[in-house]
Amino acid sequence: MHPSMSRSFVVRQSQILGALMMREMATRYGRRGLGFLWVVGEPLMFCFGVIIMWMFIRHHNGHGLAVAPFVMTGYMCLLLLRHSISFSISAVGSNLGLLYHRALGPLHFYVSRCILELAGATAAFIIVYLTLILFRQVDPPHDWLLLYFGWFLMWIMATGTGFIFSGLATRFEVMERVVPLLSYAMIPLSGVFFMVDWLPENVRERYLLVPYPNAIEMIRAGVFGEFVPTHFNVAYATVTAFLLLLVGLVLVKNAEGYIDVE
């Protein structure tokens, strides 16, 4: 492909995704009141609510960690995972009318939503983090690169999982009923509310075969540093994250024939 054609293609796709993201924010949150701010405000309220609830119950979690930063590093990942799944499931159904435009395809809806989720969750994470620093509940990150990379991998995993569930739901109607149950079942699997170090030694290695705890442990290692023992495999987390994304993309692409636009 000629370089000018490649640039034109990239610009065109960027414009399409940008327009879909603006439309998504307008239809999901409305044009009045806080409007677009709810992209950040919604996960922000959820996270602060859980942090406050936990802090009323206990000031420390019994393992030497302050509750607020511990909940922040886990619950923001859980929100990213569950929102990515739920919004992927409804991505095509909410935009069926737009498929009459030849320039648009189902993948545009999925990609625009996953980018929007990343933007909203990341902004909310930053605001929560800065707030906790202001109230001296947590220190600045000990390893910025590990924190960034862990969060990026968590997004890739969440996006891939959402694509996989959505691709299956397009083929099998029963999946739409099963996915909410699977989302709840993934809470203990994700490790958002406990550290891998708290598990018995003979369980840790097998538990880390689940991709999500590796990314969350990387985030916690980036935040807490060497003072809190963490366990993860960067290479394994990276490979499984992109494998989930690849499988999800294949399922979503192959499910296009099952979409009825009539």
Side-chain angles (χ1 to χ4, degrees):
M1 186 180 291
H2 194 274
S4 62
M5 294 178 63
S6 300
R7 285 195 297 271
S8 177
F9 175 79
V10 171
V11 170
R12 180 59 176 162
Q13 297 305 309
S14 300
Q15 291 174 339
I16 291 174
L17 292 175
L20 286 174
M21 289 170 64
M22 294 295 289
R23 180 182 184 275
E24 179 67 27
M25 288 190 288
T27 55
R28 191 188 303 181
Y29 303 108
R31 299 177 183 274
R32 298 180 179 180
L34 293 178
F36 294 168
L37 292 178
W38 277 114
V39 174
V40 177
E42 188 177 32
L44 202 61
M45 290 175 63
F46 274 114
C47 188
F48 274 129
V50 173
I51 287 175
I52 292 171
M53 180 182 69
W54 274 50
M55 290 185 71
F56 271 115
I57 297 174
R58 55 176 71 179
H59 294 290
H60 294 276
N61 61 21
H63 295 269
L65 286 175
V67 165
F70 171 72
V71 173
M72 173 193 69
T73 53
Y75 195 69
M76 289 307 301
C77 292
L78 179 62
L79 282 180
L80 181 62
L81 178 60
R82 295 192 63 188
H83 282 189
S84 295
I85 293 172
S86 63
F87 289 129
S88 290
I89 291 292
S90 61
V92 175
S94 302
N95 296 282
L96 272 178
L98 296 178
L99 288 177
Y100 287 101
H101 297 280
R102 292 184 178 180
L104 295 178
L107 192 58
H108 287 110
F109 307 140
Y110 289 112
V111 174
S112 63
R113 285 196 170 196
C114 75
I115 294 175
L116 192 59
E117 285 309 310
L118 174 65
T122 302
F125 192 109
I126 292 171
I127 293 173
V128 172
Y129 204 133
L130 291 175
T131 303
L132 295 184
I133 290 177
L134 182 64
F135 285 94
R136 298 182 179 180
Q137 293 294 312
V138 66
D139 295 324
H142 288 261
D143 190 328
W144 290 90
L145 182 60
L146 197 57
L147 172 59
Y148 291 153
F149 193 55
W151 182 250
F152 171 73
L153 287 183
M154 190 66 215
W155 173 60
I156 296 295
M157 291 176 187
T159 300
T161 304
F163 284 5
I164 290 172
F165 285 172
S166 184
L168 293 174
T170 304
R171 288 177 171 81
F172 312 106
E173 291 185 8
V174 69
M175 279 298 295
E176 292 189 9
R177 301 180 181 275
V178 174
V179 166
L181 299 177
L182 292 176
S183 297
Y184 281 106
M186 291 175 73
I187 295 177
L189 284 177
S190 63
V192 295
F193 292 132
F194 61 88
M195 302 283 292
V196 174
D197 192 65
W198 303 348
L199 297 173
E201 290 187 20
N202 61 335
V203 176
R204 290 176 195 163
E205 189 172 341
R206 283 174 289 176
Y207 179 70
L208 286 174
L209 292 176
V210 181
Y212 316 106
N214 288 274
I216 296 174
E217 288 281 298
M218 288 171 65
I219 293 170
R220 285 175 168 156
V223 171
F224 298 119
E226 60 186 11
F227 303 104
V228 175
T230 52
H231 306 268
F232 54 87
N233 186 321
V234 176
Y236 178 77
T238 304
V239 171
T240 52
F242 283 96
L243 183 60
L244 284 171
L245 182 61
L246 178 61
V247 172
L249 286 170
V250 171
L251 286 174
V252 165
K253 185 63 179 176
N254 290 341
E256 291 183 3
Y258 293 84
I259 298 173
D260 184 10
V261 296
E262 297 294 333

